Amino acid sequence: MLEPGAKGRFVVTRDEQEHASPKSTSIGAKLKRWAPILVLVVVMLVGLSFGWHEHLSLSEIIRNQQVLQGWVASNPVLVGLAFLVIYVGAVAVSFPGASFITIAGGFMFGWLAGGLIAVVGAATGATILFLAARTSVGAALKERAGPFVDKMASGFRENAFSYLLFLRLTPVFPFWLVNIAPALFNVSLPVYLGATLIGIIPGTFAYAFVGAGLGSVIEAQEALNPGCGAAGTCEVELSALITPELIWALVALGAVALIAPVVGLVRKRRRSANGAK
């Protein structure tokens, strides 16, 4: 209801403000909540349609090796920042082939600098996706979750750091899935970021080491097949560079992260059993 103001102007009463357009407010809140994840999905679809992900391959690194090295030699800081932005974007929109970007980083900047840039880029991109998923999918799931989902989420959050550290250390689970899954269980940002930073370091630097040694591999291939680098026909398989022993070492490292929650679960069950007697 409109009431006359002090100078003849009409003002909206408090009752009307409290009940004004609840539907429009609800729609606006939903748009705000879902906008970040929708933007990431749109960028991903645009990138896939234009074939941006096709440049994330070992053959592309080899084909453009001289160009990449020339960029770094001319302006290492600017190229490093551009590389970081590309890495963040690729991880945030879940482009396949982030491991090849890490290899490229090791090849371009060396294992130390390349590894550090990759860790920062991967952690930042993963956090962007996590926050976008938590405010949209995670919030929607929390609103509609039943007792079973609530119990499962509570159990995950109880040892979230250890579980997430295991998922990060073990190079078996898709990186994008590990970025989104904690959002569904409403894991806190500090826990997510801490476990992500620690968990991606071993694998990231392993791939950066591979990239740092890629030059000698290309030289060996060029000796056998001159011109294969520029043509992109050098036969270098990622499986030959990332050995099964390395994968199993990372899996074993990930298993160590589960020791604490497993011990805690055993103790909890023992206390429950003793209390039931």
Side-chain angles (χ1 to χ4, degrees):
M1 178 179 177
L2 295 177
E3 295 181 350
K7 296 183 179 181
R9 293 175 297 182
F10 288 93
V11 295
V12 181
T13 63
R14 178 174 295 182
D15 183 67
E16 282 183 303
Q17 289 177 345
E18 291 176 352
H19 297 86
S21 188
K23 185 176 181 181
S24 61
T25 303
S26 176
I27 294 175
K30 286 182 178 179
L31 286 175
K32 185 178 180 180
R33 189 170 71 181
W34 285 89
I37 195 70
L38 290 176
V39 169
L40 295 179
V41 170
V42 169
V43 174
M44 179 188 68
L45 294 176
V46 170
L48 292 175
S49 65
F50 280 94
W52 295 346
H53 62 292
E54 295 176 1
H55 297 286
L56 305 180
S57 66
L58 203 55
S59 60
E60 283 293 315
I61 298 173
I62 296 172
R63 183 183 294 112
N64 298 289
Q65 56 174 312
Q66 294 182 350
V67 175
L68 297 174
Q69 291 174 334
W71 286 348
V72 175
S74 62
N75 200 330
V77 176
L78 183 61
V79 174
L81 290 174
F83 181 85
L84 176 62
V85 171
I86 292 172
Y87 206 125
V88 171
V91 173
V93 300
S94 302
F95 269 174
S99 58
F100 295 113
I101 307 180
T102 308
I103 292 174
F107 177 70
M108 295 168 64
F109 305 103
W111 70 268
L112 181 58
L116 289 173
I117 294 173
V119 167
V120 174
T124 304
T127 302
I128 291 173
L129 180 57
F130 165 75
L131 292 175
R134 192 176 69 170
T135 56
S136 54
V137 182
L141 181 65
K142 184 179 180 181
E143 292 173 358
R144 295 168 175 78
F148 174 76
V149 176
D150 281 339
K151 185 177 180 180
M152 184 171 61
S154 178
F156 187 91
R157 286 194 301 271
E158 187 177 345
N159 294 288
F161 188 89
S162 296
Y163 290 147
L164 187 53
L165 190 60
F166 166 73
L167 294 173
R168 290 300 191 195
L169 288 169
T170 308
V172 176
F173 308 98
F175 196 69
W176 65 268
L177 181 60
V178 182
N179 293 339
I180 294 176
L184 304 181
F185 298 120
N186 200 32
V187 173
S188 68
L189 179 59
V191 170
Y192 176 86
L193 187 56
T196 296
L197 278 171
I198 296 173
I200 64 176
I201 285 176
T204 298
F205 276 97
Y207 277 86
F209 267 116
V210 170
L214 188 59
S216 59
V217 177
I218 296 173
E219 289 178 3
Q221 288 291 318
E222 284 277 4
L224 298 173
N225 184 10
C228 69
T233 57
C234 290
E235 298 180 359
V236 180
E237 296 293 335
L238 185 61
S239 58
L241 302 175
I242 306 298
T243 64
E245 289 79 9
L246 175 61
I247 300 298
W248 280 111
L250 293 174
V251 170
L253 194 60
V256 173
L258 292 178
I259 293 177
V262 169
V263 171
L265 181 62
V266 171
R267 289 177 177 175
K268 186 176 181 179
R269 289 187 173 180
R270 284 181 177 176
R271 287 196 297 267
S272 299
N274 292 334
K277 290 181 180 179

